[in-house]
Amino acid sequence: MASFLYRLGRLAFRRRRLVALIWVALLALAGFGAASAPAATSSSFSVPGTEAQKAFDLLEERFPGGSADGATARVVFKAPSGEKMTDPGPKAEVTGAVAALKSGSGQVASVTDPYTAQAVSKDGSTAYVSVSYKVGSMELTDDTLHALKETGERARSTGLTVETGGDALQAAPETGAGEIIGVVIAGVVLAVTFGSLIAAGLPLLTALVGVGIGISTITALAAVFDLGTTTSTLAMMIGLAVGIDYALFIVSRYRAELIGGREKEEAAGRAAGTAGSAVVFAGLTVVIALVGLAVADIPLLTKMGFAAAGTVVIAVLIALTLIPALLGFAGDRVLGRKARHGKAVSDKTNVGARWARLVLRHPVAVLLVGVVGLGAIAVPAASLEVGLPDDGSQPVSTTQRKAYDLLSDGFGPGFNGPLLVVVVDGDRAEADRAVELMRNLDGAAAVTAPTFNKAGDTATITVIPKDRPSSLATEDLVHEIRDKSSDNVYVTGATALNTDFSQKMSDALLPYLALVVGLAFLLLMVVFRSVLVPLKAALGFLLSVVAALGAVVAVFQWGWLGSLFGVEQTGPIMSMMPIFMIGVVFGLAMDYEVFLVTRMREAFVHGQRPEEAIVTGFRHSARVVIAAAVIMIAVFAGFIGSSEQMIKMIGFGLAIAVFFDAFIVRMAIVPAVLALLGRRAWWLPRWLDRTLPNVDVEGEQLNKELSQSPGGSDEDRELIPV
């Protein structure tokens, strides 16, 4: 592989104008596709294979003409102190609001009158109007939303308290200036690392090109593949981070080759052949982790994984082709001023080498401090509670949260999470028996009479739990209804769907972990020609990801330092968070493992003792790995400012996980373990050595080829047609 990438790097360097033109054309083509494509919508959420999803599908089939896929809104009214919603004045205002909502937009499917639909609380203080729309929340026009908001403002002016909830108010996630700040910090880190604005600008430029192509492609295909706005946001987050990092490693190796006296084209080829090989395998581990999310069999999660994996593939291709091309334009201006004037930096000032020697002197102490420290941070993960966010997780200042609280106060905490029970192929007597059974359950506050479809073969029953939707008591109620009911009785609704989703995520966690870690373990065995190094990499990842989950629980579930990160409302961790974090963090963790340890492996293969190889690896890679980690942390942390709870939580989780993995696991625990293992770290059974393919990541075969043709110019040019 190193030989092929060496030739590819030299080709891109020589034909830099053509390569740059191709990538600009791809960016323009993707941008044109995005501009001409329909606007992205909210991706449909489904949980195949679960009872809640099966019941939902049955309802769509047997109650045709419903608006199950359309947006919904609840306009909640509360009477002033001393008055009731049944008094003439408030009642007239609500009746007028119902009429205004019905005539306010052609997108309205139905509006319920609270006085005929029993939507007034027992004490008369609160009433609500349910509005169903013909289209999803992202397709609602400005006029429709304006009519909804104006209705509330008009009633509010009469002295009523009016708040609006429901997914009709859902908007695309807003990340504000957070990601821009992350990119600015990345630029500063690159400038400090390289001492050259040209060298700092190349990774930023190419990362933005890659993300632009990836996001534009996702936008162009959004309508075809039902890709929601969250999909593109997460793809941008990951694509931007790895795009900068992969380019950073190629540029860093190119600079090292130039300082070592190589000609520019030769330096570009060697950078692509050595650092490029590490980029390919690092990218493969990320792609495996992201594509492996399909194991959970959740369409939304699968789409997110594939979209993000696509941006990673683009980042790898750009690092291998566009970066060498741009290096051809930049020449020796990628070097800092001192390097351009021939002033080399003394090894004594190399912080990476000095740190490695310190760890080698005290490996046991460093190992214990690192493991115990991360273990302590991981403790909160034992209290992990998972669920899906609803209006109850919104900031207390939002109208959605206020509407949620008004309904809880007026109708009970379980009113915001009703269960929908579906009786299929049963008569009225069977439906009545189901109602009687559920009314006798401790967790049920109210049970409505059955409502049949036109064919008379399917009935729906609404059950209001006593407790809030995200509570364990409500989850137990879902299981109790299912356990005590006959086989043709199904429980669905948003709360039941969340319960089934959380269970499915938990069931998929171990198979997913086994698949991803197993495939990556085999891949790293091929890269490092070792059994213990990949094993150590996997164990270190598990330690860092559990510690990161512990930090997420402490901040978002317990509320520790929540105000510092803009967490206004604590609650359960989103169900997909653990499996998504494992996938992404594993891929990123292996990035640092590959970049750092391949230089150690390269030095060991070329004859250095194990201890010397560790120091050499840190001398050449530590500074760049630290810069890459700081950049990733900055990019991910930029998304903490998002208005979307899931984006905020994922941004924080990935940022803290990268910090733990890069600075504690890779910078401290890895060298300590390798120091204790010595030569055994690179042990590989002979039969396995003969079986595994030799991909020459460290460039040993490439060095042999180049040593036979010094300069590598004429012969190398003949190896690939131009």
Side-chain angles (χ1 to χ4, degrees), residues 195-354:
S196 164
L197 292 178
I198 297 294
L202 288 181
L204 288 176
L205 174 62
T206 55
L208 291 174
V209 170
V211 168
I213 294 174
I215 299 304
S216 297
T217 302
I218 291 171
T219 303
L221 300 175
V224 178
F225 295 104
D226 189 27
L227 304 176
T229 52
T230 302
T231 302
S232 59
T233 304
L234 294 174
M236 184 202 321
M237 182 191 303
I238 295 169
L240 191 61
V242 301
I244 294 174
D245 277 8
Y246 294 166
L248 167 64
F249 284 104
I250 301 287
V251 173
S252 177
R253 188 60 181 253
Y254 174 77
R255 283 161 47 93
E257 296 292 342
L258 282 184
I259 293 173
R262 307 285 185 192
E263 294 296 327
K264 296 182 181 65
E265 183 179 329
E266 179 69 10
R270 287 179 179 264
T274 51
S277 297
V279 165
V280 169
F281 280 95
L284 274 176
T285 58
V286 180
V287 169
I288 287 173
L290 292 171
V291 173
L293 291 171
V295 170
D297 192 26
I298 302 294
L300 175 63
L301 197 59
T302 300
K303 292 169 189 175
M304 288 164 55
F306 272 86
T311 61
V312 173
V313 171
I314 293 172
V316 171
L317 294 176
I318 284 180
L320 298 177
T321 57
L322 185 57
I323 282 292
L326 295 180
L327 289 173
F329 290 110
D332 60 3
R333 285 175 294 177
V334 297
L335 296 176
R337 185 176 302 175
K338 289 184 178 180
R340 285 202 300 270
H341 291 82
K343 298 179 181 179
V345 178
S346 171
D347 179 61
K348 293 181 180 179
T349 64
N350 189 295
V351 177
R354 288 158 56 193

Side-chain angles (χ1 to χ4, degrees), residues 6 10 265-266 705-706 709-717:
Y6 166 80
R10 294 190 62 173
E265 183 179 329
E266 179 69 10
E705 292 178 9
L706 296 178
S709 56
S713 55
D714 296 333
E715 182 176 340
D716 290 325
R717 284 183 171 87

Side-chain angles (χ1 to χ4, degrees), residues 681-703:
W682 309 108
W683 170 79
L684 186 69
R686 291 183 180 179
W687 65 270
L688 191 56
D689 189 31
R690 292 191 299 267
T691 304
L692 294 176
N694 188 355
V695 294
D696 190 31
V697 174
E698 64 274 358
E700 184 180 10
Q701 185 62 36
L702 174 62
N703 286 333

Side-chain angles (χ1 to χ4, degrees), residues 178-208 240-241 243-245 248 623 627-635:
E179 67 271 39
I180 298 176
I181 295 174
V183 173
V184 171
I185 293 175
V188 172
V189 173
L190 288 169
V192 172
T193 301
F194 288 138
S196 164
L197 292 178
I198 297 294
L202 288 181
L204 288 176
L205 174 62
T206 55
L208 291 174
L240 191 61
I244 294 174
D245 277 8
L248 167 64
R623 186 181 182 190
V630 172
I631 289 169
M632 272 202 181
I633 292 169
V635 171

Side-chain angles (χ1 to χ4, degrees), residues 41-46 69 226 228 299-300 303:
T41 63
S42 296
S43 181
S44 58
F45 181 75
S46 61
D69 291 332
D226 189 27
L300 175 63
K303 292 169 189 175

Side-chain angles (χ1 to χ4, degrees), residues 513-539:
L513 197 60
L515 173 68
V516 171
V517 175
L519 288 176
F521 181 84
L522 294 175
L523 189 64
L524 292 178
M525 263 205 308
V526 172
V527 173
F528 296 128
R529 318 298 297 178
S530 165
V531 174
L532 296 180
V533 170
L535 179 62
K536 174 263 308 168
L539 293 176

